[in-house]
Amino acid sequence: MLHCHEIAKSPDSYFTHFMEGLKKRNIGEPEFHQAVEEVAKNIVPFIFENKDYMEAQILERLTEPDRIVSFRVCWEDDQGNIRTNRGFRVQFNNAIGPYKGGLRFHPSVNRGILKFLGFEQIFKNSLTSLPIGGGKGGANFNPKGKSDREIMRFCQAFMTELSHHIGENIDVPAGDIGVGAREISYMFGKYKQLKKEFTGVLTGKGLEFGGSLGRAEATGHGLIYFAKNTLDKLSEGFKEKRCVISGSGNVAQFAADKLMEFGAKVIAMSDSQGFILDEEGFNHEKLELVKQAKLTRKPLSDIVEKIGAKYFNGQKPWGVPCDYAFPCATQNEILQKDAVCLVDNGCKGVFEGANMPCNLEAIHYLLSHDVLFTPSKAANAGGVAISALEMSQNSMRLSWTAEEVDIKLQEIMSKIHAQCEKYGADGNKVDYVKGANIAGFIKVANAMLAYGVN
Ligand code: NDP
Ligand code: 2IT
């Protein structure tokens, strides 16, 4: 094995050697390779100028999770059949606080996807300036088509095992795809019963039992506050701007809500089956129909007539001419060909609400065509930030008003923007990818340096 000073001749050779090693050690995990590559492109040149980080092997240590637990989740469906799923928790890094990150229930969930999400979460959580480390978990369980009782039994079985690994000062999960307030409630109830304690072990809880006002809205609203910060800098605004959103779940709904409040025209939303195009623009009544459909896990095609819009089955919305695009569904939903479509149709900004919705080629294409681009670890950090504030409120045993939380959310998103400006300054522009990666890295890396070798 080559030692770091032997391969440290140039950032390029270090990067190539580092990525080769990472891919060899993490076979069959393309999403994890992608997330690390995006970060390493910025961090390798940075650690060349800041050799303490290189000598302490911080990048190598940061890309190896502290631990991963994988477990069987066994439950009974309504017909009395025994069903088995696989659950995970990736505890990636707790240098600056307890592991923190969502739980995803989706049939695609596997170890590599949760490692990419947990890795991203380290940097995102650091950017919030709050004391939270990085983690992620979930199961390859498909909530679609399941009865409420089946969802309950699955959540309880999942928590029965997960409860051994989490705690308010150890690891505090929350929601993600397929996990909202209902699932968090079932899991919280089970944890409370098993441990005989009432502690803030999950966030995104119901308001009656320790949830924070504004948490449900936080990711989507935070995304639009962040986008507004970037547009303010360019003396641009949202008024009458054509906005296309992918997804129609938690993040997408509240992104749409805030965009409408800022006077933008939300003309498209999507789900895993297709997209709705409404040239008039969504209003609150139409958005309410989307919320109700998604609460009962129905496809958008069911409500398209009521909304009075066009429906495009099996298609993504990136061919719709727009000013700004907000991918808020899932990873790798904007590939290079989609980026080409967006640019050809006049799109001037892409703001990531989902985690890693643009692949590396798409990001490169957008940036080289002068499209404003903000990466998820900065732009969607509002959700986990308010989760951290839910933890604070639980510790203090009090709750803040919706207005107080909203003001804090705006301040946090502005501070993240300022950190991106500081570390991503590029002439009179800002490289938000570089800024978010370096700012997120420094705090975690300094904590790791302070701890010595462990
Ligand atoms: P939800 O489950 O509430 O909604 C997900 C939406 O995305 C649904 O409309 C769903 O379609 C669609 N979708 C999911 N998977 C796919 C897929 N493989 N292909 C196409 N469409 C898909 O999840 P959230 O809104 O919570 O999460 C959306 C994204 O935001 C994820 O990337 C998540 O990691 C990220 N995120 C979430 C945060 C949160 O606080 N919830 C915080 C930060 C990031 P359908 O309705 O048909 O299933
Ligand atoms: O990706 C994310 O930041 C989340 N799913 C939210 C995590 C959290 O702990 O609130």
Side-chain angles (χ1 to χ4, degrees):
M1 203 181 115
L2 286 171
H3 200 258
C4 65
H5 45 255
E6 292 169 59
I7 47 151
K9 293 201 183 79
S10 74
D12 283 350
S13 64
Y14 192 105
F15 174 82
T16 306
H17 185 267
F18 169 76
M19 282 309 300
E20 278 171 4
L22 183 108
K23 286 178 183 170
K24 249 192 238 162
R25 289 191 299 278
N26 300 280
I27 291 169
E29 298 180 346
E31 294 86 359
F32 180 55
H33 305 166
Q34 181 184 333
V36 173
E37 184 170 337
E38 190 238 84
V39 168
K41 268 192 187 145
N42 295 135
I43 297 303
V44 169
F46 180 71
I47 61 179
F48 257 75
E49 288 163 17
N50 299 274
K51 288 276 189 326
D52 284 355
Y53 299 128
M54 189 148 72
E55 275 155 26
Q57 297 269 288
I58 298 292
L59 184 59
E60 289 73 7
R61 288 158 61 188
L62 251 184
T63 45
E64 192 63 38
D66 289 354
R67 69 193 62 78
I68 301 177
V69 285
S70 162
F71 48 91
R72 183 182 65 245
V73 185
C74 216
W75 56 285
E76 196 174 339
D77 70 18
D78 287 346
Q79 285 71 45
N81 302 308
I82 307 301
R83 311 279 289 259
T84 305
N85 287 94
R86 186 174 292 170
F88 298 92
R89 187 70 183 167
V90 178
Q91 296 183 330
F92 221 118
N93 184 294
N94 67 353
I96 61 168
Y99 304 107
K100 181 87 197 84
L103 295 169
R104 178 177 289 192
F105 291 167
H106 192 272
S108 64
V109 162
N110 60 33
R111 190 181 157 101
I113 288 180
L114 295 180
K115 278 169 70 179
F116 117 63
L117 289 162
F119 179 72
E120 288 278 295
Q121 201 84 44
I122 304 170
F123 297 83
K124 182 196 306 195
N125 293 4
S126 165
L127 282 169
T128 66
S129 308
L130 297 164
I132 39 178
K136 201 85 188 190
N140 63 348
F141 169 75
N142 187 357
K144 284 210 191 99
K146 303 289 188 297
S147 71
D148 203 35
R149 283 303 166 102
E150 288 176 324
I151 301 272
M152 178 188 79
R153 287 195 291 274
F154 179 81
C155 289
Q156 293 177 340
F158 182 84
M159 183 50 91
T160 301
E161 177 60 30
L162 186 69
S163 64
H164 300 308
H165 310 288
I166 61 175
E168 60 173 339
N169 296 314
I170 302 169
D171 184 352
V172 183
D176 194 80
I177 292 177
V179 178
R182 167 180 34 202
E183 292 73 22
I184 292 291
S185 305
Y186 289 142
M187 289 190 272
F188 184 74
K190 192 69 191 170
Y191 184 89
K192 183 178 68 55
Q193 180 190 31
L194 289 168
K195 298 276 177 172
K196 293 185 280 179
E197 63 174 36
F198 193 107
T199 49
V201 68
L202 296 174
T203 60
K205 299 185 291 296
L207 298 179
E208 303 80 2
F209 44 95
S212 174
L213 284 161
R215 172 60 188 93
E217 294 86 346
T219 313
H221 285 185
L223 169 69
I224 306 309
Y225 290 143
F226 190 83
K228 186 170 183 307
N229 283 321
T230 67
L231 294 180
D232 284 349
K233 207 176 151 61
L234 304 171
S235 307
E236 291 281 346
F238 281 122
K239 202 113 202 92
E240 293 299 320
K241 290 287 157 55
R242 288 168 61 91
C243 295
V244 166
I245 299 177
S246 68
S248 45
N250 172 271
V251 180
Q253 289 169 15
F254 288 105
D257 176 60
K258 191 53 79 177
L259 278 172
M260 287 170 356
E261 187 188 315
F262 284 165
K265 235 174 142 182
V266 176
I267 49 171
M269 292 185 81
S270 75
D271 66 11
S272 55
Q273 310 300 309
F275 77 90
I276 301 188
L277 175 64
D278 182 0
E279 287 288 353
E280 270 177 24
F282 278 74
N283 57 28
H284 287 286
E285 290 72 41
K286 293 175 185 177
L287 189 57
E288 198 45 44
L289 288 171
V290 172
K291 287 186 185 175
Q292 286 312 318
K294 288 302 158 188
L295 200 59
T296 46
R297 301 185 200 278
K298 294 208 181 82
L300 289 176
S301 51
D302 275 21
I303 52 164
V304 72
E305 259 177 51
K306 271 198 201 149
I307 289 184
K310 283 191 194 150
Y311 181 70
F312 295 82
N313 192 35
Q315 289 185 44
K316 301 196 251 183
W318 313 127
V320 176
C322 67
D323 296 297
Y324 304 125
F326 300 85
C328 296
T330 193
Q331 66 274 3
N332 291 332
E333 52 171 322
I334 297 187
L335 309 177
Q336 180 161 338
K337 62 177 174 16
D338 303 308
V340 171
C341 244
L342 284 165
V343 170
D344 286 352
N345 284 309
C347 177
K348 294 186 284 295
V350 175
F351 307 93
E352 292 190 324
N355 285 309
M356 205 172 76
C358 298
N359 76 358
L360 295 169
E361 292 75 24
I363 297 174
H364 179 75
Y365 189 86
L366 293 170
L367 291 175
S368 60
H369 287 78
D370 258 349
V371 175
L372 177 57
F373 175 78
T374 65
S376 47
K377 56 173 81 70
N380 75 19
V384 75
I386 302 309
S387 274
L389 297 190
E390 183 172 329
M391 291 165 71
S392 309
Q393 293 169 80
N394 292 167
S395 301
M396 294 189 288
R397 301 199 187 285
L398 52 77
S399 46
W400 295 323
T401 64
E403 291 70 29
E404 284 173 297
V405 175
D406 185 52
I407 288 170
K408 289 183 201 297
L409 175 63
Q410 294 188 47
E411 284 170 359
I412 291 168
M413 298 318 292
S414 295
K415 272 201 258 169
I416 297 176
H417 185 262
Q419 290 182 75
C420 291
E421 278 184 307
K422 178 170 173 193
Y423 292 101
D426 181 13
N428 57 357
K429 286 202 220 157
V430 180
D431 178 341
Y432 286 95
V433 178
K434 181 178 170 194
N437 284 335
I438 294 178
F441 175 82
I442 290 175
K443 185 175 165 194
V444 178
N446 286 348
M448 289 172 74
L449 278 184
Y451 298 144
V453 179
N454 66 17

